[in-house]
């Protein structure tokens, strides 16, 4: 049942209340905010499947303070891909498992896309392809790779740039692909100190210019009847100097600082090995090309009789993303793919529907202005293309609670969920009234600085009021976060509700075509719980939110979430589900709502899938038939070619502002930071925490992963899995452990600049010598999750999160930035540096917290 707090926050003392009272309280709290200042609601959701609903709900409410888990998961991966190629690794793409000859995986733990990747790897191995896994830890996928590359954490980008150096040096570059599909030939103005320096030269219509070698003149890059230059320095008709963007790229990465001999030690590899891997990539790309007898037509109307591909596929995830240099590392991988012509070609990485999207893939974030009882002008999350799109006040301070889209994180496409509680507690940049969270266990394994977060959630002002005035929380389980809520709205499990796995949200499409799905309730809840989506729709109607009420004030979706799924239209013809649209259910992708849509999904085993014609499945960024088909399906608005970005001009616009150009410029403290990190070509820098501490004092990188049987922390309460995963260890390289006098079973102090924990050690060979790691999501707080007294998860499980700070060490002026990527705001979970010392005291895990009591009337737990 819904719960209302009766004791102190964190005490777990609640009384059960009826849903009418719970909804009345929520409407009372939220209604007052909406009537006065909608920004004082912060709505943050975890890894759920309804972010297109919750983001749209926040828009209707009028608060810009919305984000989901992506900011502490994979926003570097998403933003780097979307700003580079209109798609990204993880859910936005997949390797061509059938044709790849060489597959490189970067930083992918075995819980990610687990079964599809296992199936794909089995195909690769059956076909005789080589699988290389780049990861500091040799578990899961890395353990079955043909070659494990145990790179030093945070040095992946440097390793990739060394590969690029070798390919450039050997002239192993697909110049035809670059000229046809990327901005390699676009002319970049060279005017140091000028307001146009580093921007593309354009004609009077705004079309970027390229250099025609035959005519010896600048021409629109969109033309197809000229021979473009990729290197050289040229003078434009107006006297300005310009060079093709590839020239800048080649000059950078051919520099000896990127030679394998210069970077090998920092990467934890040998120069010879880096050169061999680069040679293998080149051989697979250019000596083992894939040729399919499939005619197709490119964006310019040119017919090709065959599809020719470079069979080198790449894939990456959080091991790359969760570093403060992760955006540029992700960008570097995409640049490497472009240089060898290995994006959406046979054998390479491929877009999954609904991608590719125009670069970047959406409008700017809304929230420049907010007003009582007024929706935002657009969705709260979006894409910034320059300083004019930032959400900042006139003095440059952030408009959002988490400081997303400010000068501290200009490209934060997913927000900064990891900063929401700290900033609400600190009143920085302003105070809020209600923190509303869903499925986000911020009082435990979803927070950096877990102990500190628990204190912030309970901290009070001098008058005895809480610094975060009201907290509403919804979850299906009695997680650690429940005890810190004032009002608990109990959710159902996935077996008891409708869900929509939408192309508007987290796509399940494949490279062969778009797909989406529903979940439908197969059990009736035996508790007084309600689906969170239904609750949000009901709350919206009670609050009178425009998109959720009719003109007469009646609810627009009286049937709850299934009603919304069928009848909501994000724009004409586009709804949460793309299948069985139109009044007769015969229209795919884009069409009028169909009253029988859910029945059609049920009849089709809950799925809809569209198989693309064979001439559309590759080169989607420049495939005329595909692009026109994608417009028909409502996946993109225009059928223009999607030009891949070797050189990312939006970054240069931010850097020019930091150099003093334009009407919108950063505050003085941010200028050098923006100039440094907003380079339009990928750069490498040491992770920010490492730069701020004495690395020699904290010699180890410390990481977390999830077991392959879990996804995030899901399934950790499963009765069968608990028998396998009920306690965790700190894993160390065996030789390193012996050098430090440590053996299996010893307890050690793990100390960061922020705090320390005491944990047991286990040794292994398959880990980078200067890296320690553990399983996340196993350690639980005693009493949570209805675990019995003495449960090993509470007694012998631990969290590395306690040692991670959500803030970096202070700057010279005392200011502390968030522990995040300075480009996107991605939480830098994997930048953590620690020292390891043997603990001679009591051999139990530390810290330990008092057990949480069960909420009232908790059902009897199974044995």
């Amino acid at each position: 049942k819904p719960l209302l707090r009766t004791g102190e926050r964190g005490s777990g003392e609640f009384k059960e209340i009826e849903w009418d009272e719970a909804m009345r309280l929520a409407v009372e709290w939220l209604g007052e905010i909406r009537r006065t200042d909608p920004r004082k609601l912060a709505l943050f959701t975890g890894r759920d499947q309804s972010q297109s609903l919750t983001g749209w709900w926040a828009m209707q409410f009028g608060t810009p303070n919305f984000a989901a888990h992506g900011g502490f998961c994979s926003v570097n991966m998403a933003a780097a891909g979307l700003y580079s190629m209109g798609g990204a690794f993880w859910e936005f793409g997949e390797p061509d498992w059938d044709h790849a000859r060489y597959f490189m995986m970067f930083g992918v733990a075995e819980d990610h896309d687990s079964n599809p990747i296992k199936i794909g790897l089995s195909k690769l191995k059956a076909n005789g392809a080589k699988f290389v896994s780049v990861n500091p830890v040799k578990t899961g996928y890395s353990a079955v790779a043909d070659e494990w590359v145990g790179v030093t954490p945070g040095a992946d980008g440097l390793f990739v740039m060394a590969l690029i150096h070798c390919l450039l040096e050997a002239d192993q570059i697909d110049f035809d692909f670059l000229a046809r599909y990327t901005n390699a030939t676009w002319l970049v103005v060279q005017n140091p100190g000028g307001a146009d320096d580093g921007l593309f030269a354009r004609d009077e219509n705004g079309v970027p210019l390229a250099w025609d070698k035959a005519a010896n003149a600048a021409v629109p890059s969109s033309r197809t009847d000229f021979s473009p230059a990729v290197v050289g320095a040229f003078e434009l008709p107006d006297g300005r100097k310009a060079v093709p963007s590839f020239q800048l790229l080649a000059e950078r990465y051919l520099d000896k600082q990127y030679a394998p001999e210069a970077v090998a030690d920092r990467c934890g590899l040998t120069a010879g090995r880096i050169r061999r891997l680069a040679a293998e990539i080149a051989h697979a790309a250019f000596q083992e090309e894939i040729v399919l007898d499939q005619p197709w037509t490119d964006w310019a109307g040119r017919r090709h009789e065959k599809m020719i591909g470079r069979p080198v596929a790449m894939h990456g995830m959080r091991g790359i993303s969760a570093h403060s240099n992760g955006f540029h590392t992700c960008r570097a991988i995409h640049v490497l793919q472009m240089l060898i012509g290995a994006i959406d070609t046979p054998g390479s990485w491929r877009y999954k529907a609904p991608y590719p999207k125009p670069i970047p893939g959406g409008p700017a974030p809304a929230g420049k202005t907010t007003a009582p009882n007024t929706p935002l002008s657009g969705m709260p999350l979006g894409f910034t293309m320059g300083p004019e799109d930032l959400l900042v006040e006139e003095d440059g301070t952030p408009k959002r609670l988490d400081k997303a889209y400010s000068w501290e994180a200009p490209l934060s496409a997913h927000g900064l969920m990891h900063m929401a509680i700290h900033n609400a507690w600190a009143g920085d940049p302003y105070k809020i009234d209600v923190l509303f969270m869903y499925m986000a266990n911020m009082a435990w394994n979803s927070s950096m600085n877990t102990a500190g977060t628990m204190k912030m959630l309970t901290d009070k002002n001098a008058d005895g009021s809480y610094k975060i005035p009201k907290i509403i929380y919804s979850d299906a389980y009695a997680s650690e976060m429940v005890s810190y809520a004032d009002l608990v709205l109990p959710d159902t499990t996935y077996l008891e509700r409708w869900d929509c796995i939408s192309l508007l949200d987290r796509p399940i499409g494949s490279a062969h075509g778009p797909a989406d799905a529903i979940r439908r309730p197969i059990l009736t809840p035996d508790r007084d719980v309600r689906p969170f989506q239904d609750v949000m729709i009901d709350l919206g109607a009670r609050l009178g939110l425009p998109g959720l009420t009719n003109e007469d004030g009646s609810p627009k979706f009286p049937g709850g979430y299934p009603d919304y799924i069928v009848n909501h239209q994000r724009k004409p013809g586009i709804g949460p589900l793309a299948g069985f649209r139109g009044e007769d259910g015969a229209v795919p992708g884009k069409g009028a709502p169909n009253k029988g849509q859910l029945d059609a999904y049920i009849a089709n085993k809950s799925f809809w899938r569209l198989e693309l014609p064979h001439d559309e499945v590759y080169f989607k960024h420049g495939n005329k038939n595909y692009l026109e088909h994608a417009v028909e399906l409502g996946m993109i608005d225009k059928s223009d070619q999607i030009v891949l970005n070797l050189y990312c001009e939006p970054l240069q616009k931010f850097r020019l502002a930091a150099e003093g150009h334009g009407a919108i410029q950063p505050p003085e403290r941010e200028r050098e930071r923006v100039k440094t990190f907003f380079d339009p070509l990928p750069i490498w820098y040491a992770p920010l925490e490492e730069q701020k501490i004495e690395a020699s004092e904290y010699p180890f990188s410390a990481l977390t992963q999830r077991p392959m049987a879990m996804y995030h922390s899901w399934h950790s309460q499963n009765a069968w899995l608990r028998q396998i995963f009920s306690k965790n260890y700190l894993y160390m390289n065996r030789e390193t452990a012996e050098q430090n006098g440590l053996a299996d079973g010893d307890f050690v102090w793990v100390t960061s600049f922020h705090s320390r924990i005491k944990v047991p050690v286990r040794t292994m060979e398959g880990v980078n010598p200067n890296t320690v790691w553990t399983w996340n999501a196993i350690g639980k707080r005693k009493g949570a999750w209805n675990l019995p007294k003495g449960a090993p998860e509470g007694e012998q499980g631990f969290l590395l999160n306690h040692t991670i700070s959500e803030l970096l060490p202070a700057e010279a002026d005392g200011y502390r930035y968030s522990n995040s990527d300075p480009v996107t705001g991605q939480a830098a979970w994997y930048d953590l540096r620690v020292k390891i010392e043997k603990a001679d005291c009591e051999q139990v895990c530390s810290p330990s917290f008092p057990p949480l009591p069960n909420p009232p009337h908790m059902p009897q737990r199974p044995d």
Side-chain angles (χ1 to χ4, degrees):
K1 289 183 76 68
L3 303 175
L4 183 64
R5 180 176 59 80
T6 57
E8 294 291 304
R9 263 199 212 147
S11 69
E13 296 174 12
F14 294 97
K15 69 175 181 179
E16 291 185 339
I17 59 174
E18 301 303 322
W19 273 101
D20 283 347
E21 183 180 357
M23 297 298 280
R24 179 184 59 76
L25 280 171
V27 169
E28 180 183 312
W29 296 354
L30 298 175
E32 177 60 25
I33 292 172
R34 188 162 185 267
R35 286 189 294 273
T36 53
D37 184 356
R39 295 188 311 164
K40 292 192 174 182
L41 166 63
L43 174 61
F44 287 82
T45 69
R47 179 58 176 94
D48 67 295
Q49 199 71 46
S50 41
Q51 292 164 25
S52 69
L53 166 65
T54 49
W56 179 78
W57 194 99
M59 168 189 167
Q60 300 301 317
F61 187 90
T63 180
N65 291 321
F66 165 81
H69 92 296
F72 64 56
C73 175
S74 60
V75 67
N76 272 336
M77 194 68 62
L82 291 168
Y83 279 83
S84 299
M85 56 183 186
F89 293 138
W90 190 212
E91 283 141 329
F92 310 126
E94 62 188 356
D96 187 346
W97 300 114
D98 294 315
H99 297 110
R101 303 296 305 151
Y102 199 90
F103 176 47
M104 294 190 78
M105 179 181 278
F106 294 88
V108 182
E110 52 263 39
D111 69 319
H112 285 127
D113 209 15
S114 188
N115 288 336
I117 286 180
K118 290 172 193 167
I119 294 167
L121 291 177
S122 70
K123 284 186 177 181
L124 290 182
K125 286 180 173 287
N127 293 339
K130 181 169 183 178
F131 166 31
V132 177
S133 183
V134 182
N135 196 314
V137 181
K138 188 181 182 182
T139 60
Y141 305 136
S142 295
V144 299
D146 297 297
E147 183 169 352
W148 169 59
V149 180
V151 70
T152 299
D156 311 74
L158 200 55
F159 165 60
V160 173
M161 291 172 197
L163 295 175
I164 291 172
H165 174 95
C166 294
L167 293 170
L168 289 167
E169 200 174 49
D171 206 28
Q172 295 290 293
I173 303 296
D174 190 337
F175 287 106
D176 184 60
F177 184 92
L178 292 178
R180 285 177 180 268
Y181 303 116
T182 79
N183 62 11
T185 64
W186 294 9
L187 295 174
V188 180
V189 174
Q190 302 295 282
N191 181 22
D196 56 355
D197 184 47
L199 300 180
F200 290 123
R202 300 176 185 270
D203 66 11
E204 62 276 7
N205 297 315
V207 177
L209 298 173
W211 195 263
D212 184 344
K213 290 188 291 185
N216 201 31
V219 299
S221 59
S222 56
R223 279 176 44 183
T224 60
D225 59 348
F226 73 103
S227 177
V230 293
V231 294
F234 308 103
E235 185 172 312
L236 300 172
D238 58 12
R240 293 180 298 169
K241 308 296 183 186
V243 301
S245 68
F246 180 83
Q247 170 85 22
L248 299 175
L249 181 147
E251 287 174 355
R252 171 166 296 177
Y253 301 120
L254 280 171
D255 190 284
K256 62 184 179 182
Q257 69 175 305
Y258 295 108
E261 292 74 17
V263 308
D265 287 347
R266 187 67 179 79
C267 295
L269 307 170
T270 65
R273 191 179 189 193
I274 296 172
R275 289 193 177 277
R276 173 178 58 77
L277 290 167
E280 289 177 2
I281 292 169
H283 182 273
F286 300 106
Q287 304 304 314
E288 299 185 62
E289 72 176 18
I290 299 291
V291 179
L292 303 180
D293 290 322
Q294 174 60 60
W296 67 287
T297 304
D298 71 20
W299 61 276
R302 295 170 293 200
R303 179 179 168 87
H304 303 260
E305 295 306 318
K306 298 179 186 297
M307 288 181 164
I308 300 174
R310 308 295 180 199
V312 178
M314 298 181 185
H315 192 56
M317 195 44 201
R318 190 179 293 115
I320 301 296
S321 189
H323 287 289
S324 55
N325 59 15
F327 173 82
H328 280 287
T329 294
C330 298
R331 279 263 299 137
I333 296 172
H334 297 320
V335 166
L336 173 59
Q337 292 172 282
M338 291 181 219
L339 291 175
I340 59 172
I343 290 180
D344 211 52
T345 68
S348 73
W349 176 90
R350 304 169 70 188
Y351 297 103
K352 285 170 62 174
Y355 297 89
K357 300 275 192 181
I359 300 175
K368 283 182 179 292
T369 59
T370 58
N373 293 318
T374 305
L376 297 179
S377 59
M379 293 289 275
L381 300 180
F383 298 88
T384 52
M385 290 296 284
E388 67 278 3
D389 293 330
L390 292 178
L391 300 183
V392 292
E393 306 287 358
E394 287 190 12
D395 63 358
T397 56
K399 283 181 175 286
R400 282 180 53 119
L401 174 70
D402 58 359
K403 304 186 181 180
Y405 307 111
S406 74
W407 289 106
E408 293 190 28
L411 268 60
S412 48
H414 291 168
L416 283 74
M417 185 169 175
H418 57 294
M419 294 308 299
I421 289 173
H422 173 276
N423 293 358
W425 164 79
D428 176 22
Y430 48 78
K431 293 182 180 297
I432 64 166
D433 282 344
V434 174
L435 177 64
F436 191 172
M437 306 194 96
Y438 172 51
M439 207 196 331
N441 196 11
M442 305 304 288
W444 199 247
N445 62 285
S446 290
S447 275
M448 298 170 161
N449 182 20
T450 306
T453 299
M454 289 188 274
K455 290 179 181 176
M456 293 175 208
L457 291 169
T458 57
D459 199 14
K460 294 184 176 182
N461 297 303
D463 63 2
S465 61
Y466 285 109
K467 290 197 170 182
I468 303 176
K470 299 181 184 72
I471 299 175
I472 303 175
Y473 185 59
S474 180
D475 206 328
Y477 298 98
S479 67
E480 288 86 351
M481 183 64 195
V482 167
S483 292
Y484 294 88
D486 302 311
L487 177 63
V488 179
L489 306 176
D491 189 23
T492 62
T493 70
Y494 68 97
L495 298 170
E496 302 166 317
R497 65 168 179 248
W498 292 90
D499 270 324
C500 174
I501 295 82
S502 171
L503 290 169
L504 300 178
D505 198 340
R506 315 286 299 222
I508 62 163
S510 77
H512 299 279
D516 58 19
I518 63 167
R519 294 194 193 100
R520 61 191 177 102
I522 61 170
L523 297 174
T524 301
D526 58 358
R527 312 161 316 287
D528 192 9
V529 299
R530 294 183 183 179
F532 175 72
Q533 298 96 328
D534 283 357
V535 170
M536 293 301 287
I537 289 168
D538 188 5
L539 275 177
R542 293 177 188 229
L543 288 164
L545 303 187
L548 288 143
T549 50
N550 297 310
E551 289 186 7
D552 63 0
S554 62
K556 193 164 190 175
F557 306 107
Y561 195 45
D563 188 350
Y564 168 91
I565 292 172
V566 170
N567 293 304
H568 171 69
Q569 294 188 77
R570 190 56 50 92
K571 53 187 178 182
I574 303 295
L577 291 173
F580 313 108
R581 298 193 68 82
E583 291 186 10
D584 58 358
V587 180
K590 185 178 181 180
N594 165 24
K595 295 186 185 305
Q597 188 179 39
L598 295 179
D599 291 334
Y601 272 83
I602 292 169
N604 203 47
K605 298 184 178 179
S606 295
F607 284 85
W608 169 79
R609 181 183 178 207
L610 179 68
E611 191 87 15
L612 292 173
H614 292 308
D615 66 340
E616 296 181 16
V617 295
Y618 293 106
F619 299 97
K620 296 185 190 76
H621 47 82
N623 185 316
K624 179 179 175 65
N625 290 348
Y626 169 78
L627 291 166
E628 291 175 353
H629 194 183
V631 171
E632 290 175 18
L633 293 169
M635 294 192 298
I636 55 176
D637 293 329
K638 296 180 180 178
S639 60
D640 298 343
Q641 179 195 18
I642 296 170
V643 180
L644 310 180
N645 282 200
L646 270 181
Y647 184 95
C648 189
E649 186 184 48
L651 297 177
Q652 180 65 12
K653 292 180 179 179
F654 287 103
R655 190 157 67 168
L656 288 171
E659 291 173 353
H661 300 290
I664 303 172
Q665 296 179 23
E668 204 58 42
R669 190 184 65 241
E670 307 296 339
R671 287 188 187 274
E672 198 57 41
R673 196 168 188 257
V674 174
K675 277 196 288 185
T676 300
F677 297 123
F678 279 73
D679 196 303
L681 289 171
I683 58 174
W684 185 84
Y685 49 91
L688 298 185
E689 179 175 319
E690 185 178 333
Q691 293 184 35
K692 291 288 182 183
I693 62 171
E694 285 293 334
S696 58
E697 184 181 352
Y698 302 98
F700 294 98
S701 294
L703 310 174
T704 58
Q705 296 191 101
R706 274 102 175 178
M708 69 173 71
M710 296 182 188
Y711 179 62
H712 289 227
S713 61
W714 296 358
H715 314 135
S716 62
Q717 76 283 0
N718 179 283
W720 290 278
L721 291 178
R722 284 194 60 225
Q723 299 175 60
I724 306 171
F725 302 113
S726 60
K727 56 186 176 182
N728 53 318
Y729 299 87
L730 186 76
Y731 292 96
M732 290 184 71
N733 179 280
R734 181 161 290 139
E735 188 175 334
T736 303
E738 290 171 355
Q739 291 169 359
N740 286 270
L742 298 171
D744 283 353
D746 286 346
F747 273 69
V748 296
W749 288 107
V750 182
T751 307
S752 68
F753 85 88
H754 172 65
S755 65
R756 70 176 187 166
I757 58 176
K758 185 175 58 173
V759 300
V761 163
R762 275 200 174 170
T763 59
M764 61 184 288
E765 273 76 30
V767 60
N768 176 282
N770 299 312
T771 300
V772 297
W773 70 278
T774 191
W775 298 119
N776 193 8
I778 290 177
K780 300 283 188 286
R781 184 164 170 186
K782 286 178 282 192
W785 300 90
N786 203 17
L787 290 170
K789 184 177 182 181
E793 292 92 336
E795 301 288 346
Q796 301 171 64
F798 66 88
L799 283 182
L800 195 62
N801 304 42
H802 295 304
T803 61
I804 307 174
S805 172
E806 76 276 24
L807 300 173
L808 290 168
E811 301 291 306
D813 63 0
Y815 187 79
R816 297 184 69 183
Y817 286 102
S818 70
N819 186 10
S820 311
D821 186 305
V823 180
T824 66
Q826 160 82 50
W829 295 98
Y830 292 171
D831 282 2
L832 178 64
R833 301 280 296 197
V834 300
K835 60 183 174 183
I836 308 292
E837 301 165 292
K838 190 170 184 177
D840 294 322
C841 52
E842 186 182 11
Q843 305 288 279
V844 295
C845 292
S846 174
S848 180
F849 301 92
L852 293 171
N854 281 332
H857 304 119
M858 182 71 86
Q860 178 67 34
R861 72 174 67 85
D863 182 8

